[in-house]
Amino acid sequence: MTVKIISCYVENFGKLHDYSVDFSDGLNIVCEENGWGKSTFAAFVRAMFYGLEGERKRNLLENERKRYKPWQGGVFGGKLTFEIQGKTYQISRVFYDKEANDEFELRDAQTNLLSKDYSKKIGEEIFQINRESFMRTIFIGQSDCKTSPTDDINAKIGNLADHANDLNHFEEADKKLKEILNSLTPERVTGSIAKRKEEIAGYERIVQDGEEIVESLDIYQDLLHKEEAKYETLKERLKETGEEQQKVSKLQSVLAKRSEWERLKKSVLRKKEEAQLLTGKFPGEIPPAEKVKEKISECGDMEKAFERLSMCQVPEAEKAELSALTSAFQKGIPAKEDLEEKIGEAGRLRKIVLEYSSEQMSPKERERLEELEFCFGEDTESVASVVGKWNARNTKKAALPSNQAALTALKASVAGKQPQNSLKRTVFPIIGAAIAIMGVLITIASFLTVGMAMIVAGALMIILPILLGKKKAEPEQNQVSPELERLERIIEEDMRFIAVADQEVGDYLQVHGKSFDEHTAFAALQEITEEAVEYSSLKKKARKAKEGVQAAEIETIRKSIDTFFLQYGIASSEPRYADDLYALRNKAARYAELTLKKEKLEKAQAQYNAMRANMDAFLREYGYEPADDCLLQLYHIRETMEERQYALEAFQDMKAELNRFEAETDIPALEQIQTEENLASLEELNQRMVRLTEEMEQVHHTIINYNKNLEDLQERYDEREECRIKLKELKALQTQEQKKYGLVCKARSKLGAAKEVMTAKYADPLLESFGKYYEMISGDPADPFHIDANAAVTVDELGRQRDTDALSTGYRDLVGICLRTALVDAMYQKERPLLIMDDPFTNLDDEKMRKGKTFLENIAQTYQIIYFTCSHSRS
Amino acid sequence: MKFIHCADLHLDSKMSANLDKERAKERRSEILDTFVRMVRYASKNEIAAILIAGDMFDTKNISATVRNTVLHSIAGHSHITFYYLKGNHDRDNFLSGLEEIPANLKLFSSRWTTYEEAGGKIAVSGLELSAENAGSAYVSLILDPKRFNIVMLHGQETERQAKDKAECINIRALRNKGIDYLALGHVHAYKKEQLDTRGIYCYAGCLEGRGFDECGGHGFAVLDIDEATGKYTHEFVPFAKRKLYTVNVDVTGCQRTAEMVSKAALALQQEGCEEESLVKITLRGMLDVECEKDISYFLSRFRSRYYFVKVYDETTLKVEMDDYRFDESLKGEFVRQVMSDPSISEEDKKIVIRYGLQAIAGEEVQ
């Protein structure tokens, strides 16, 4: 597999544009000035085989797509014609924004047909090394001479790619194992073993801490069992107490009966003693209850008698008064009837005396009687009759003018003249009004009758024409005549009567010494009337005085009264008769009153004394000394009697009850009962049961609490158990991973060792080749240099092998160039690839540069070399 | 008269050995539900009594849900008598805090306690074994041979006297005691054996398998006794909601995971593994060191089909040294390097080689 580039055409690549170049076998020097684009062209050749590198790199230097994007624009790419195993191919690549869009084309250069002999990974396929290995071997870049073998290089060195092709997987395998180790490692916190170690430690702590939970569980279990046992004990004790209670209850029932029997017997005795004690309280025979009751009732009467006695008590003043009255009435007490009679006589006497005194006429009265006797002794007509006659005369006289006026008016109407009618209607009222006014004046002047008559007449004159005028318009002419006649007759009669009356009244007045005047006649008649009354009275008095019977009666009465007074030694006289008689009556009444009081007192005293004596006799009869308050004493007696009676009844009742009890009860059985001294009472047992129940409740409560605690602990225990299981799992996994870690470590180690063995097989040929080229360039022997199984070059320096980094830049480049060439020699022992050198000798001194040229000429005989330089001295 | 004999319910068992927290919680509920279903079964099938031969509970403290559910089931089926004999896992806090124990719940103690059924024709005797009574337990058991005698105990059967060991039941000492049916608990797998000429003894096993050491069918035994004749039938009733399976798959010669999946599927089918079961697959056999084997992928192929799947890789690697002796490649050199290292065990060498080869091949290193 000898590979050589025949030509290149750069369409656009970096700053290169439309650049063509042909290459020949052996050394091809491209000597251009700085900035021409030598490195770009070298990158172009590399890109033609491997495509662009650093697709995702942001750095412009690392991202070739960006770095070599044509400055001037246009199609990004070019063509490269190469020869391999006698066949010529042309690679065409066009680059776009991303690799996926890149175009790759391979043509057979001889037929110009598309070839499928190689894919777009043509670099790997031709050189059997990846891009990185290409860069480390075939491509020797400027200031990048140092190299180290990659898997591909090692594989190529081992020449194994053809048949096993697994050495180039070493790095991948190592990387995988390393990743596994990293993921497992106990050394770093990111490793699962290290992580799990922490986790395990955490769970171990929990599990360890949980030890006390187990202990607590046991403790609480024990406590619980103790409490439960306690509860059972209490329950048993409660049961026993209940049984004891039942037993005691039964015994208590019998004991209660015996107690009841004892009580009854004691009660009978006690009641008997009480009755006897009460019987002993009586001094003698016990009075019958009825009698006591009777006596108590009598006490009530006696009390009343005593009250009466108290009420009848006579004051000392009254006693003195009675004594005085007794001496006053030594001769007897006037009878009430007598006194009343005498009082009546005294009254009558006073009346008669008064009457007698009033009926006696005085001389003046006698003179007057005589005077009036003269005037009225001859009267044939009473003054009243005369007055009546005069009044009638006045009435008629009063009516006369009006009648006359009416007559005149009537006469005028009879004449039948209209004007006259109207005149009559106007004149008559005027006249009527004048008459009425006159009547009023006359009435005021004390001629009442006349005045009134005139007023009436005047009024008629005013009204009549009006009435007549309305009603009798037409028939008036025919009716006037009878009316006229009637009026004329009335006027005539009235005038006649007036004349007769005047004559008779005048005569009468004259008899009584009065003159007649029409205007004073009425007053004169009045005076005569008064005189008539006086005359009548005087005449009557005179008639009584003439009778004279009363004096004798007066004397009789006086004598009777005087005699009465003398009976009682009282001196009295007219007009004190009545007063003295009343005084005597009062005294007599007072005496009677006081005497009665005295009698009542005496009677009440006698009654009371009799009652008291009776009571005292009763009390003494039964051995009691009467007390002042015998009622209280009797009450005491009765009370004692009742108490005794009650006691006796109670005694009898109790005895009956005892008898009944004894009849109903098996007394011998009661008598035989033996009580246990230590037997608790029902109350004690009840209290004990209450205590036990309370204790049981407490224990039950404790049990519940313990159970709750146990549940909590169990929950914690369960959590701890889960942790323990988890811990176990983790530990198992840890052990498993630790084992895996150890075995993977071993696998990696053994894999590395295998690789070293593999590469060590080619270390000597590599060193030989390296030495040859080193001596060719440097002129020095390559003895101090060593190459290990990993193709790493070391140099003996100051007694030990040192890395080539310790060398100067020039030597480092030199070592790198030699090693790369040696590696290519080792890698491609039969087929030779081309070598691309991008001015690798810049750091060499002139001597070495000169020898470098020789080196190039020598290797150019084996390889096609495309050598880029900017210096003619190095070209 | 019918009896159910069950034991080792282990209610409230944590179930976290294999299952994650959520699944463990779900499984705990399933176990409790199986107990409830069993009581319903008893009610439907005219079972007169349920014998619980110990380990009804698993933990020291019973959760309120379990305690209340069990009590509710017991109290809610007053026509069924529950004979509950405590086992080594049981603590009596199940009943602590109860004012009154349900009338149909019969308990036992460290002394022999006998209850009568069927008017005295059947006697149920039980004793809770402890270190204190282990010695005298057998001597103090006196039964009336005229009755049908059921005896309840909890412990591991042995054929000889284990002094002071509460968990051991001396079967020999219980022979010829007049026992008709020895209802045992403690062993989690169903087992029925002849005790003597008269009676049998039976471990009902657990109601539900909890771990892969409790594979196979689980449930309870139904004892149907003719009170008149004393004859009876005995039947095991599988009742577990889920089964557990352990399947060994020989994958010798397989070069790819897919081949191993095929072999495992076939093995599961042959085992009769029902869906929604709990399955443990153990890969066994010898594989070529360069074979492709992805356990995660293998597991994923079965995870959706079963309630829980666990894969144990117990395969060994086979390295053909002749293949690498003259292999000039890196791989050949690597194998030679490993194989020639005496500090690495033979088994580890195979693993190291596998790791290395997987890395060289660019495969997942596992």
Side-chain angles (χ1 to χ4, degrees):
Chain A
M1 184 195 71
T2 300
V3 180
K4 63 179 182 182
I5 298 172
I6 295 168
S7 64
C8 286
Y9 170 71
V10 181
E11 186 142 1
N12 287 293
F13 196 88
K15 65 185 294 184
L16 296 175
H17 168 64
D18 194 22
Y19 174 70
S20 297
V21 61
D22 295 329
F23 297 105
S24 59
D25 292 346
L27 182 61
N28 296 274
I29 297 171
V30 180
C31 182
E32 295 290 347
E33 59 197 16
N34 281 335
W36 175 84
K38 298 186 290 299
S39 296
T40 301
F41 184 72
F44 171 79
V45 173
R46 191 173 66 231
M48 283 298 108
F49 285 112
Y50 286 95
L52 292 172
E53 191 195 15
E55 186 72 19
R56 291 186 177 81
K57 298 284 175 58
R58 298 175 70 86
N59 190 332
L60 189 66
L61 290 173
E62 292 175 357
N63 188 329
E64 290 184 341
R65 192 174 299 275
K66 289 180 181 175
R67 185 178 176 186
Y68 297 114
K69 192 171 181 180
W71 295 6
Q72 63 283 352
V75 177
F76 181 16
K79 296 174 183 173
L80 183 145
T81 306
F82 69 97
E83 185 188 294
I84 182 169
Q85 294 178 338
K87 282 190 80 174
T88 309
Y89 296 94
Q90 186 183 61
I91 302 167
S92 297
R93 286 187 191 262
V94 179
F95 305 106
Y96 294 97
D97 288 342
K98 52 186 178 181
E99 189 180 357
N101 297 336
D102 290 349
E103 292 174 6
F104 168 79
E105 195 176 85
L106 180 71
R107 288 179 184 275
D108 187 329
Q110 290 168 334
T111 61
N112 199 36
L113 291 172
L114 286 172
S115 173
K116 289 188 178 179
D117 291 347
Y118 302 98
S119 70
K120 65 179 180 182
K121 291 188 174 178
I122 191 169
E124 285 91 335
E125 289 163 0
I126 291 171
F127 301 114
Q128 296 186 355
I129 53 173
N130 60 16
R131 178 190 180 82
E132 188 185 2
S133 302
F134 179 84
M135 293 290 282
R136 291 190 189 189
T137 53
I138 293 169
F139 189 90
I140 305 169
Q142 195 175 10
S143 303
D144 187 26
C145 298
K146 187 183 176 186
T147 188
S148 61
T150 63
D151 285 349
D152 288 355
I153 294 166
N154 283 330
K156 286 301 289 177
I157 290 169
N159 204 16
L160 302 172
D162 290 341
H163 61 278
N165 199 26
D166 65 350
L167 190 58
N168 55 350
H169 291 302
F170 169 78
E171 279 194 353
E172 197 180 328
D174 187 64
K175 187 181 172 190
K176 193 179 277 285
L177 293 173
K178 192 179 176 187
E179 280 173 358
I180 291 167
L181 290 173
N182 283 340
S183 70
L184 294 173
T185 182
E187 308 298 333
R188 290 198 296 273
V189 290
T190 50
S192 63
I193 293 171
K195 279 182 193 169
R196 196 172 294 107
K197 198 175 172 186
E198 290 298 314
E199 206 177 351
I200 285 169
Y203 278 112
E204 276 176 341
R205 275 196 300 276
I206 293 169
V207 171
Q208 198 173 356
D209 293 345
E211 288 296 328
E212 63 186 39
I213 297 172
V214 181
E215 286 172 19
S216 299
L217 265 172
D218 291 338
I219 290 166
Y220 270 105
Q221 286 284 359
D222 290 343
L223 286 170
L224 181 66
H225 284 134
K226 280 177 188 168
E227 286 300 312
E228 283 172 348
K230 196 174 169 185
Y231 188 82
E232 286 303 317
T233 309
L234 287 169
K235 204 171 167 182
E236 192 60 34
R237 282 178 60 196
L238 186 67
K239 192 181 166 189
E240 286 168 6
T241 310
E243 286 167 358
E244 195 179 342
Q245 194 184 37
Q246 280 186 345
K247 187 180 168 187
V248 171
S249 181
K250 280 182 185 173
L251 189 63
Q252 286 286 70
S253 175
V254 180
L255 283 171
K257 280 203 167 185
R258 196 171 79 172
S259 174
E260 178 64 9
W261 185 45
E262 294 293 338
R263 186 189 68 78
L264 284 170
K265 284 197 290 185
K266 281 180 185 171
S267 293
V268 167
L269 272 177
R270 194 170 63 249
K271 294 293 173 190
K272 192 178 177 183
E273 284 169 7
E274 282 174 9
Q276 284 172 347
L277 186 69
L278 287 166
T279 306
K281 282 186 177 179
F282 292 94
E285 191 186 342
I286 298 165
E290 287 302 317
K291 272 199 171 183
V292 174
K293 189 180 176 186
E294 192 182 316
K295 289 299 164 190
I296 287 170
S297 175
E298 282 177 13
C299 274
D301 296 339
M302 198 165 75
E303 267 189 4
K304 285 176 187 169
F306 186 75
E307 277 176 17
R308 279 200 299 276
L309 180 63
S310 301
M311 284 168 71
C312 291
Q313 289 299 320
V314 180
E316 288 303 316
E318 285 190 350
K319 283 180 182 174
E321 189 183 357
L322 180 62
S323 176
L325 286 170
T326 305
S327 58
F329 291 111
Q330 277 179 343
K331 290 178 179 176
I333 304 163
K336 195 176 179 182
E337 296 79 19
D338 294 342
L339 270 170
E340 291 301 321
E341 186 186 337
K342 293 306 168 193
I343 287 166
E345 282 178 2
R348 180 174 166 74
L349 178 64
R350 181 180 291 170
K351 190 178 174 186
I352 293 168
V353 168
L354 282 173
E355 282 180 0
Y356 179 75
S357 300
S358 65
E359 283 173 1
Q360 295 303 309
M361 290 188 73
S362 63
K364 198 176 177 180
E365 287 175 329
R366 281 192 200 100
E367 190 181 339
R368 181 62 182 165
L369 180 62
E370 287 173 4
E371 192 178 323
L372 291 171
E373 188 76 33
F374 176 75
C375 291
F376 293 96
E378 299 297 327
D379 275 353
T380 56
E381 192 178 11
S382 68
V383 66
S385 172
V386 175
V387 169
K389 198 178 281 181
W390 178 249
N391 284 342
R393 176 264 176 194
N394 282 342
T395 305
K396 289 186 184 295
K397 192 166 184 183
L400 192 60
S402 64
N403 287 341
Q404 285 173 339
L407 181 65
T408 306
L410 198 61
K411 281 179 179 175
S413 67
V414 170
K417 294 179 182 177
Q418 189 67 31
Q420 285 177 334
N421 282 335
S422 63
L423 182 64
K424 191 173 65 182
R425 285 176 187 168
T426 53
V427 172
F428 271 42
I430 295 165
I431 295 168
I435 291 167
I437 293 163
M438 282 174 66
V440 170
L441 292 171
I442 290 167
T443 304
I444 294 165
S446 305
F447 294 102
L448 186 65
T449 313
V450 177
M452 289 301 289
M454 286 177 77
I455 291 165
V456 171
L460 285 169
M461 286 182 75
I462 294 164
I463 299 162
L464 204 61
I466 297 164
L467 294 170
L468 291 172
K470 285 183 178 175
K471 294 180 180 175
K472 298 173 183 178
E474 289 301 323
E476 197 173 11
Q477 286 293 58
N478 298 330
Q479 293 173 357
V480 168
S481 292
E483 183 66 24
L484 189 64
E485 287 171 3
R486 192 186 64 84
L487 277 172
E488 284 173 349
R489 194 173 58 246
I490 290 167
I491 290 167
E492 190 180 343
E493 286 174 358
D494 287 348
M495 287 179 74
R496 200 162 43 241
F497 181 82
I498 291 164
V500 172
D502 284 349
Q503 185 60 46
E504 289 175 357
V505 169
D507 290 348
Y508 187 80
L509 289 172
Q510 196 173 3
V511 170
H512 287 276
K514 311 275 185 202
S515 59
F516 176 76
D517 184 65
E518 188 182 7
H519 302 292
T520 62
F522 186 77
L525 284 170
Q526 287 281 348
E527 285 177 7
I528 291 166
T529 303
E530 288 171 3
E531 285 172 353
V533 171
E534 189 181 359
Y535 170 68
S536 176
S537 175
L538 287 171
K539 205 162 80 173
K540 195 176 176 183
K541 194 172 180 181
R543 197 166 49 245
K544 285 187 176 177
K546 282 175 184 173
E547 289 173 358
V549 290
Q550 288 170 324
E553 191 180 354
I554 291 167
E555 192 58 32
T556 306
I557 293 167
R558 275 178 184 161
K559 279 182 181 175
S560 172
I561 293 168
D562 288 341
T563 307
F564 184 78
F565 277 126
L566 279 173
Q567 286 179 15
Y568 302 102
I570 297 167
S572 182
S573 63
E574 178 74 19
R576 291 186 55 250
Y577 281 152
D579 294 340
D580 291 342
L581 279 169
Y582 279 120
L584 181 61
R585 189 179 69 176
N586 289 341
K587 269 188 178 180
R590 180 65 179 161
Y591 179 70
E593 184 187 347
L594 291 173
T595 306
L596 185 65
K597 271 190 175 181
K598 189 182 173 187
E599 284 170 1
K600 277 186 178 175
L601 177 64
E602 286 166 357
K603 189 182 172 185
Q605 187 69 55
Q607 277 183 347
Y608 175 75
N609 289 344
M611 285 179 172
R612 178 73 209 198
N614 187 20
M615 188 62 68
D616 291 349
F618 171 77
L619 290 168
R620 285 195 181 92
E621 184 185 348
Y622 292 99
Y624 290 98
E625 185 59 32
D628 289 342
D629 191 346
C630 57
L631 181 62
L632 185 63
Q633 193 174 19
L634 282 169
Y635 279 149
H636 280 311
I637 292 166
R638 189 177 68 177
E639 197 179 338
T640 311
M641 283 170 70
E642 283 173 354
E643 282 177 4
R644 179 181 167 274
Q645 188 58 35
Y646 290 146
L648 281 172
E649 285 171 7
F651 167 66
Q652 290 303 330
D653 290 347
M654 197 55 71
K655 200 174 173 183
E657 195 177 344
L658 177 63
N659 291 338
R660 201 164 46 247
F661 182 85
E662 286 176 345
E664 289 170 356
T665 314
D666 184 4
I667 298 300
L670 292 185
E671 287 170 338
Q672 285 170 4
I673 282 177
Q674 295 294 322
T675 54
E676 292 175 30
E677 285 182 4
N678 293 330
L679 204 61
S681 69
L682 275 174
E683 194 180 349
E684 283 172 346
L685 288 170
N686 198 36
Q687 284 175 353
R688 196 188 298 168
M689 285 176 85
V690 169
R691 276 200 306 276
L692 285 168
T693 310
E694 283 173 357
E695 276 183 56
M696 279 173 76
E697 278 177 12
Q698 277 183 349
V699 174
H700 183 67
H701 184 68
T702 310
I703 287 171
I704 287 170
N705 282 338
Y706 282 159
N707 274 324
K708 196 180 172 190
N709 288 340
L710 276 168
E711 277 176 21
D712 293 342
L713 284 167
Q714 185 66 44
E715 202 172 314
R716 287 172 60 197
Y717 176 80
D718 291 345
E719 285 171 7
R720 185 243 184 195
E721 279 300 292
E722 281 174 16
C723 290
R724 197 177 57 75
I725 291 163
K726 183 75 180 169
L727 178 64
K728 194 178 167 187
E729 287 172 1
L730 287 173
K731 278 184 172 176
L733 189 60
Q734 188 77 332
T735 308
Q736 193 181 331
E737 285 201 348
Q738 278 171 339
K739 185 176 181 185
K740 185 176 179 179
Y741 180 78
L743 295 177
V744 171
C745 272
K746 281 195 166 63
R748 192 184 179 209
S749 163
K750 294 297 174 193
L751 195 64
K755 178 231 168 190
E756 284 173 10
V757 169
M758 290 288 289
T759 52
K761 287 179 182 174
Y762 304 96
D764 290 342
L766 195 64
L767 183 60
E768 189 183 344
S769 184
F770 172 82
K772 182 179 76 180
Y773 293 125
Y774 183 78
E775 285 176 10
M776 195 181 291
I777 300 171
S778 67
D780 297 329
D783 297 341
F785 289 92
H786 306 277
I787 294 178
D788 63 14
N790 291 322
V793 180
T794 55
V795 59
D796 290 334
E797 190 75 37
L798 299 173
R800 53 183 285 197
Q801 286 189 24
R802 296 179 189 278
D803 194 270
T804 52
D805 288 344
L807 299 172
S808 65
T809 309
Y811 268 102
R812 275 207 309 272
D813 285 354
L814 185 59
V815 169
I817 291 162
C818 294
L819 183 60
R820 280 169 179 264
T821 313
L823 282 170
V824 174
D825 282 350
M827 287 160 64
Y828 305 98
Q829 290 174 5
K830 295 176 182 173
E831 303 83 7
R832 299 296 181 181
L834 75 163
L835 290 175
I836 301 167
M837 296 186 179
D838 184 12
D839 214 357
F841 303 134
T842 50
N843 294 318
L844 299 186
D845 56 27
D846 291 343
E847 179 58 24
K848 288 187 179 65
M849 187 60 235
R850 189 180 57 79
K851 290 183 179 175
K853 286 177 183 174
T854 308
F855 162 75
L856 285 174
E857 286 164 1
N858 283 336
I859 62 170
Q861 291 172 8
T862 309
Y863 301 98
Q864 182 191 33
I865 297 169
I866 299 170
Y867 177 77
F868 298 96
T869 183
C870 58
S871 169
H872 289 285
S873 63
R874 294 197 294 273
S875 64
Chain B
M1 190 172 194
K2 288 183 187 174
F3 288 78
I4 276 182
H5 167 208
C6 66
D8 299 285
L9 284 75
H10 288 276
L11 301 174
D12 246 357
S13 176
K14 292 303 162 199
M15 304 298 297
S16 50
N18 292 307
L19 305 175
D20 60 35
K21 204 171 181 179
E22 286 305 310
R23 281 286 172 97
K25 191 179 173 186
E26 187 178 45
R27 191 75 186 117
R28 279 200 298 276
S29 300
E30 285 180 358
I31 292 172
L32 180 60
D33 185 55
T34 302
F35 169 75
V36 175
R37 284 193 299 117
M38 181 188 74
V39 177
R40 279 206 293 269
Y41 172 93
S43 185
K44 277 185 184 174
N45 293 277
E46 297 175 336
I47 303 290
I50 296 176
L51 311 169
I52 304 165
D55 285 358
M56 178 147 74
F57 305 102
D58 189 70
T59 53
K60 287 182 179 179
N61 280 288
I62 306 150
S63 69
T65 306
V66 167
R67 183 171 60 233
N68 294 334
T69 305
V70 170
L71 282 173
H72 182 74
S73 288
I74 292 170
H77 295 82
S78 55
H79 56 289
I80 300 170
T81 306
F82 291 79
Y83 292 98
Y84 169 40
L85 180 116
K86 288 198 286 288
N88 54 314
H89 277 85
D90 291 316
R91 294 293 182 103
D92 46 9
N93 63 346
F94 161 52
L95 297 168
S96 66
L98 275 186
E99 283 295 322
E100 199 175 338
I101 294 168
N104 59 330
L105 176 61
K106 307 295 179 192
L107 304 172
F108 298 91
S109 67
S110 56
R111 292 179 183 176
W112 284 106
T113 309
T114 301
Y115 296 97
E116 290 182 353
E117 288 283 357
K121 290 176 182 171
I122 299 170
V124 180
S125 303
L127 177 136
E128 288 166 0
L129 284 166
S130 64
E132 290 75 25
N133 66 14
S136 62
Y138 309 99
V139 183
S140 59
L141 176 64
I142 297 162
L143 300 168
D144 182 354
K146 291 175 188 170
R147 291 170 162 174
F148 187 95
N149 289 307
I150 298 171
V151 174
M152 294 174 71
L153 284 169
H154 183 89
Q156 178 65 50
E157 59 165 325
T158 63
E159 279 292 333
R160 60 181 179 278
Q161 182 76 32
K163 197 177 181 182
D164 297 341
K165 283 198 171 176
E167 66 274 16
C168 293
I169 296 169
N170 186 354
I171 292 292
R172 187 181 293 173
L174 290 167
R175 285 182 184 133
N176 304 314
K177 283 269 184 184
I179 298 171
D180 292 285
Y181 184 79
L182 179 57
L184 299 176
H186 191 63
V187 174
H188 289 188
Y190 173 74
K191 182 182 181 183
K192 189 185 88 170
E193 294 290 338
Q194 199 67 33
L195 177 68
D196 52 24
T197 52
R198 173 167 175 158
I200 60 168
Y201 72 92
C202 175
Y203 278 103
C206 50
L207 262 185
E208 285 274 350
R210 293 176 301 143
F212 289 105
D213 54 342
E214 295 174 2
C215 293
H218 290 281
F220 50 81
V222 173
L223 193 66
D224 191 354
I225 305 163
D226 184 342
E227 300 102 291
T229 62
K231 290 182 178 175
Y232 65 95
T233 59
H234 182 268
E235 180 194 6
F236 175 73
V237 179
F239 205 69
K241 182 178 174 70
R242 298 183 196 281
K243 281 186 181 176
L244 289 98
Y245 298 91
T246 298
V247 179
N248 297 319
V249 182
D250 189 347
V251 291
T252 302
C254 290
Q255 285 296 325
R256 286 179 291 279
T257 308
E259 288 174 50
M260 297 176 206
V261 169
S262 298
K263 281 200 171 188
L266 184 63
L268 289 166
Q269 193 181 356
Q270 286 170 348
E271 192 71 25
C273 293
E274 296 162 10
E275 288 193 355
E276 293 300 309
S277 296
L278 288 86
V279 178
K280 184 174 90 174
I281 301 169
T282 307
L283 297 177
R284 286 179 176 164
M286 194 169 279
L287 292 170
D288 187 84
V289 75
E290 290 192 72
C291 82
E292 177 268 316
K293 182 183 69 178
D294 189 337
I295 296 299
S296 299
Y297 171 71
F298 181 89
L299 189 61
S300 69
R301 287 293 301 271
F302 297 100
R303 194 175 278 149
S304 59
R305 197 182 303 173
Y306 299 104
Y307 182 75
F308 173 75
V309 182
K310 192 174 187 178
V311 177
Y312 282 5
D313 183 9
E314 293 179 3
T315 55
T316 54
L317 292 170
K318 181 180 70 177
V319 182
E320 293 289 347
M321 275 308 297
D322 289 344
D323 293 349
Y324 302 98
R325 188 164 295 156
F326 302 107
D327 187 352
E328 287 299 318
S329 68
L330 179 66
K331 195 162 67 178
E333 185 58 38
F334 168 71
V335 172
R336 288 192 294 276
Q337 286 282 329
V338 175
M339 291 306 286
S340 61
D341 190 341
S343 67
I344 306 171
S345 71
E346 289 305 310
E347 278 307 307
D348 284 352
K349 279 177 184 172
K350 291 171 188 172
I351 298 168
V352 170
I353 288 168
R354 183 170 171 79
Y355 286 163
L357 296 183
Q358 281 175 336
I360 292 167
E363 293 170 5
E364 187 72 22
V365 176
Q366 56 176 354

